[in-house]
Amino acid sequence: MNATIEGGAATRLLANPRFTRTMYYAMLTVLALGFLFPLLWMIGTSFKSGPDTVTHPSAIFPAHPTLTNYAAALHILPRYLWNSVELAFLNVVFLLAVASLAGFAFARLDFPGRDLLFLVVLGSALVPGIVYLIPQYAVFRDWGWVDTHYPLWVPRAFTPVFGTFLMRQFFLGIPKELEEAARIDGAGVFTIFSRIMLPLGTPALATVALFTFVDSWNDLLGPLIFVNSQRLQTVPVALALFRGLEFTNTAALMAAATITIVPVFAVFILAQRYFVMGITLSGMKG
Amino acid sequence: MSIAIGTRTRVLAAAAAATLIALAGCSKAESQSAGNASGPQKVVLMNWEALQGSPLEPVLKQFTADTGIQVEYQFAASGSDYWPKTRTVLGSNNPPDIMRIDDDFLPYYASTGKLQDLKDDISSAGMKSGDYYDSVYNSTVQADGSIPAWSLGIQPRVIFYNKKMFKEAGVPTPPTTWSGKGWTWDDFVKAAQKLTIKDKRWGADVVDDSAFETLYSVNNGGEGRWTKDGKGFALADPPGQEAVQWVADLTCKYGVQPAWSELSQTGKGAEMFAAGQIGMIERASSFVDYFRTNAKGFDWDVAPVPAGSADQITQGNQLVFAIPKAAANKDAAWKLLQYLTTAKGADQFAKAGAFVPGLKSSAQLAGKPVAGKPPASASLILGAADHSFRSGRVENIEDAIGIYRPALDPVKNCQAKASDVLPKVKPDVLSTIDQ
């Protein structure tokens, strides 16, 4: 009898939308804290004094907050930040141009071998970059590109496999009737692309832009291999300055890392609305 | 199909293209001006340490002042990030003029044939073996007699200890000279046990300094990691197994060392020592500067590596630099390397206390204590350089390490015995170093 009453109470509780919503948010909060902890720890540690990082390594809040780590980081970072911003901009702009054109061609233009060519494009992504690193370096050396920024944006921008795939998927989802109506009105291929497809593709473009930005921003291997001069180096290499072979200046490293995620965070905040839409509409969401 | 593009679109596209081309051009213009720099002779040096604040900085400035040769310094990130750069620039014949090489990996780089043999240069410069520590002078000599790199000096392992902690625990301090009297590995454990206070502080830290693989086994009758001929995996032999187990037991059996999960983070052990949480730590002498800066609130000193049943030797990191065969400015590179390893450069390094220069006459300057700064027994580091052991080397060391080190994690985590793990990985390691 008691069990029946308790069972009924539980059912009523689960049926209560306020209760389920509270539980739902409680679970999401716990999950979010799990994801946020490293970020909070990074920010907290960036304000710790040197000994604090050892005596209270896992504490989020510093016992003796200090800004000296930020002073050290800001002393080093500006030039690297500018290089990273410039490269991210070049990568995003050129890659969007190439990926949207290629995606449009693979989705909407009929030409012999189109699908085979698309498979070849996709297949090229299966070759790990490290395999062709030395030949690639030799080619860039012969072109006079070593110790310039070209290797850090030209190859990425002009071989956008993921971007092409995502844009193609998006363009495939746009009704053909729109294109046919434009043709009847006298629009050519490029007009259809620029006036119809591209404005509709904003969410997918934003998604590709965000991925490209993050990819360029976080690239350590590229600058390390192809750039020699300190003044052309980027943020990930600057972060490596805080990490020695045997010991790391943890607090200063975290201060520098905190500064360097600000642009990524800003771009994500600006693009998040399109980002989710782009993933959904391009059929990437499972 | 006709393509219709409006005038406005065309103007906008042209403006955008012009802007982008101008922006893209910036990166080239900058670097071209750097690449085509003409004027005084220069030498390009690549290293994994940041130049600013390093002992190299003033020495390179002095080199330029003395010779007129400009040094262009290339920083490439440390640790495993350095190796892809090294291999790429060597593999594509576009190397710097002089580059840092990990002494452990030198046999591999030597086998590629990409490094200049410095034997004749060293000979014609009159750099005699008697003037240098044997462990430094011969550290880069390969099995075929070639010398594909040259060492600036050595950073020998010593035991750093917290004097305040020793005093509090009533433990006699270790010897201040290179002596095993009252300072064996058993004495080390006994001291560590007395220094340890559960949940407050630890007596010792050895496990995160990989040199223990060589030190403990050689001092107790083994050969270290590799056999002398570079063809055998000596660590898997009983003395090697004993070494690994002994170090793991500092945590697992004696409870005097923090858990491996805590110490496996780079630099964690040194940070804990600097924070007064560890009483004794085995480290290279390069940590003197780090502890001077970061260890606050207590006095510390250095002690020799404890004596084993067979010997009391230590092992050091060599500061090895090589001149690639494809280097553009080999003569200038050799002038720099010679400067760094002879009196002018070596004296400056010694005074900075960064390492023990290979040149004995300069090294004496390194053994002098700095007033008001630890370690009081700085001269002991010179003794360590004199007692440094040069272990066997193998070409494919990176691959071999990639096999046996992860396999040792369960031993360090007290989940397995070294005598069970090492014999199992031995065939794989042997087949790797035999390739």
Side-chain angles (χ1 to χ4, degrees):
Chain A
M1 181 69 175
N2 278 345
T4 311
I5 291 168
E6 281 169 15
T11 310
R12 277 199 302 278
L13 203 57
L14 284 173
N16 182 343
R18 187 173 290 177
F19 175 77
T20 49
R21 180 170 291 189
T22 307
M23 291 304 292
Y24 180 67
Y25 277 106
M27 278 172 61
L28 284 179
T29 306
V30 171
L31 266 177
L33 281 177
F35 286 108
L36 277 175
F37 181 79
L39 190 68
L40 296 174
W41 181 85
M42 179 181 77
I43 295 167
T45 301
S46 69
F47 290 104
K48 287 179 185 173
S49 61
D52 256 7
T53 57
V54 181
T55 48
H56 306 99
S58 56
I60 289 180
F61 298 105
H64 308 286
T66 175
L67 287 172
T68 52
N69 303 315
Y70 280 91
L74 285 170
H75 180 66
I76 290 174
L77 281 179
R79 186 180 51 201
Y80 300 92
L81 274 170
W82 169 248
N83 289 333
S84 281
V85 168
E86 182 199 315
L87 280 167
F89 179 75
L90 289 168
N91 270 300
V92 169
V93 172
F94 279 99
L95 189 141
L96 286 184
V98 175
S100 58
L101 281 166
F104 175 70
F106 283 125
R108 298 312 256 245
L109 300 186
D110 282 325
F111 56 90
R114 182 186 71 173
D115 293 341
L116 181 67
L117 192 60
F118 184 61
L119 277 177
V120 171
V121 170
L122 287 185
S124 68
L126 298 176
V127 184
I130 198 80
V131 171
Y132 53 80
L133 184 62
I134 291 179
Q136 191 182 34
Y137 185 94
V139 170
F140 291 157
R141 177 202 60 203
D142 294 344
W143 290 355
W145 280 18
V146 170
D147 207 21
T148 73
H149 278 166
Y150 290 122
L152 307 183
W153 69 271
V154 175
R156 187 183 283 115
F158 288 92
T159 56
V161 179
F162 173 72
T164 302
F165 172 75
L166 198 130
M167 292 308 298
R168 175 186 177 268
Q169 297 305 104
F170 186 84
F171 288 137
L172 281 176
I174 294 175
K176 279 205 163 180
E177 288 77 5
L178 284 174
E179 193 181 340
E180 285 162 4
R183 274 203 193 129
I184 290 167
D185 287 343
V189 172
F190 192 73
T191 306
I192 292 170
F193 169 73
S194 61
R195 295 280 181 88
I196 308 226
M197 294 296 187
L198 219 45
L200 288 171
T202 310
L205 287 170
T207 307
V208 175
L210 185 65
F211 278 123
T212 308
F213 180 86
V214 172
D215 192 29
S216 167
W217 192 261
N218 290 338
D219 183 15
L220 170 65
L221 192 65
L224 197 62
I225 299 290
F226 298 113
V227 175
N228 299 325
S229 306
Q230 199 89 335
R231 66 203 161 77
L232 291 175
Q233 284 294 8
T234 58
V235 159
V237 177
L239 294 183
L241 285 167
F242 295 95
R243 209 194 66 198
L245 192 62
E246 294 171 314
F247 35 76
T248 301
N249 187 345
T250 310
L253 175 63
M254 292 304 129
T258 303
I259 294 169
T260 60
I261 64 159
V262 171
V264 183
F265 200 62
V267 167
F268 182 77
I269 293 291
L270 289 173
Q272 65 169 331
R273 186 161 58 96
Y274 297 109
F275 178 65
V276 176
M277 210 188 299
I279 292 285
T280 312
L281 295 180
S282 59
M284 294 285 289
K285 188 171 170 280
Chain B
M1 258 184 287
S2 64
I3 298 173
I5 304 174
T7 310
R8 196 180 63 158
T9 309
R10 263 183 277 191
V11 171
L12 281 174
T19 309
L20 289 171
I21 288 165
L23 246 180
C26 287
S27 59
K28 189 180 180 187
E30 262 186 73
S31 55
Q32 273 184 335
S33 64
N36 295 338
S38 55
Q41 197 181 2
K42 74 165 186 179
V43 59
V44 178
L45 184 153
M46 188 171 90
N47 195 1
W48 62 61
E49 279 178 291
L51 182 61
Q52 197 178 10
S54 81
L56 258 178
E57 192 178 19
V59 181
L60 295 183
K61 275 184 187 161
Q62 193 58 47
F63 170 74
T64 300
D66 290 350
T67 63
I69 300 172
Q70 301 286 338
V71 181
E72 187 181 311
Y73 194 85
Q74 288 181 6
F75 164 72
S78 60
S80 55
D81 294 327
Y82 187 74
W83 316 133
K85 173 93 178 182
T86 316
R87 290 181 180 188
T88 308
V89 295
L90 282 176
S92 58
N93 292 324
N94 192 37
D97 299 317
I98 178 169
M99 63 199 290
R100 182 86 178 262
I101 299 266
D102 187 311
D103 55 326
D104 267 351
F105 299 161
L106 183 58
Y108 164 76
Y109 287 112
S111 73
T112 64
K114 299 274 185 184
L115 303 180
Q116 178 87 359
D117 187 356
L118 302 173
K119 198 173 173 183
D120 292 341
D121 294 309
I122 291 167
S123 172
S124 57
M127 298 157 88
K128 295 173 193 152
S129 64
D131 296 337
Y132 289 81
Y133 285 108
D134 179 61
S135 56
V136 176
Y137 194 88
N138 291 313
S139 67
T140 52
V141 180
Q142 300 304 294
D144 63 359
S146 64
I147 308 178
W150 191 232
S151 173
L152 271 57
I154 189 170
Q155 294 167 329
R157 255 71 184 187
V158 290
I159 304 292
F160 291 85
Y161 67 96
N162 182 325
K163 287 171 91 169
K164 184 181 173 190
M165 218 185 269
F166 268 71
K167 197 175 177 186
E168 281 171 4
V171 182
T173 50
T176 53
T177 57
W178 202 263
S179 158
K181 198 177 174 187
W183 191 235
T184 64
W185 292 98
D186 286 341
D187 297 320
F188 179 85
V189 174
K190 282 176 193 161
Q193 285 173 317
K194 288 178 184 165
L195 296 172
T196 300
I197 299 174
K198 203 178 174 208
D199 298 329
K200 189 180 174 193
R201 69 187 194 199
W202 304 95
D205 170 19
V206 177
V207 70
D208 54 343
D209 180 28
S210 58
F212 81 78
E213 293 167 356
T214 300
L215 288 186
Y216 187 91
S217 67
V218 172
N219 282 324
N220 288 287
E223 283 191 88
R225 279 190 297 185
W226 320 109
T227 53
K228 283 274 181 202
D229 60 7
K231 291 178 180 170
F233 182 42
L235 194 67
D237 297 339
Q241 294 173 16
E242 194 188 324
V244 173
Q245 193 59 54
W246 183 85
V247 172
D249 281 349
L250 289 175
T251 299
C252 309
K253 184 176 170 185
Y254 303 110
V256 298
Q257 177 175 256
W260 172 237
S261 55
E262 193 171 2
L263 292 174
S264 55
Q265 185 190 332
T266 305
K268 185 70 180 176
E271 284 184 359
M272 291 177 76
F273 178 84
Q277 295 175 343
I278 289 176
M280 297 182 283
I281 187 168
E282 178 191 294
R283 283 293 183 276
S285 62
S286 50
F287 276 79
V288 165
D289 198 39
Y290 176 79
F291 291 141
R292 273 180 185 158
T293 309
N294 295 287
K296 307 285 182 194
F298 64 91
D299 192 15
W300 54 270
D301 204 353
V302 290
V305 165
S309 57
D311 211 337
Q312 190 184 12
I313 57 90
T314 188
Q315 191 188 23
N317 296 334
Q318 300 283 342
L319 287 93
V320 172
F321 285 82
I323 299 174
K325 277 182 183 166
N329 304 296
K330 277 188 276 199
D331 288 343
W334 171 246
K335 276 182 191 164
L336 174 58
L337 195 48
Q338 194 182 350
Y339 186 91
L340 299 177
T341 52
T342 50
K344 280 190 171 177
D347 280 3
Q348 292 181 69
F349 285 128
K351 284 174 191 165
F355 56 87
V356 179
L359 191 64
K360 284 181 182 172
S361 56
S362 299
Q364 300 312 311
L365 299 168
K368 290 178 182 166
V370 179
K373 287 185 181 176
S377 310
S379 60
L380 188 134
I381 294 171
L382 288 186
D386 243 347
H387 289 83
S388 281
F389 165 82
R390 186 176 173 247
S391 61
R393 302 280 170 87
V394 295
E395 274 182 27
N396 291 323
I397 189 168
E398 198 175 357
D399 296 335
I401 285 174
I403 293 171
Y404 83 79
R405 286 259 170 87
L408 288 178
D409 278 350
V411 180
K412 295 172 184 172
N413 283 324
C414 314
Q415 294 159 337
K417 293 284 176 194
S419 54
D420 294 330
V421 170
L422 282 165
K424 282 183 192 161
V425 297
K426 187 174 180 178
D428 289 342
V429 173
L430 286 178
S431 67
T432 302
I433 60 180
D434 197 32
Q435 281 171 5

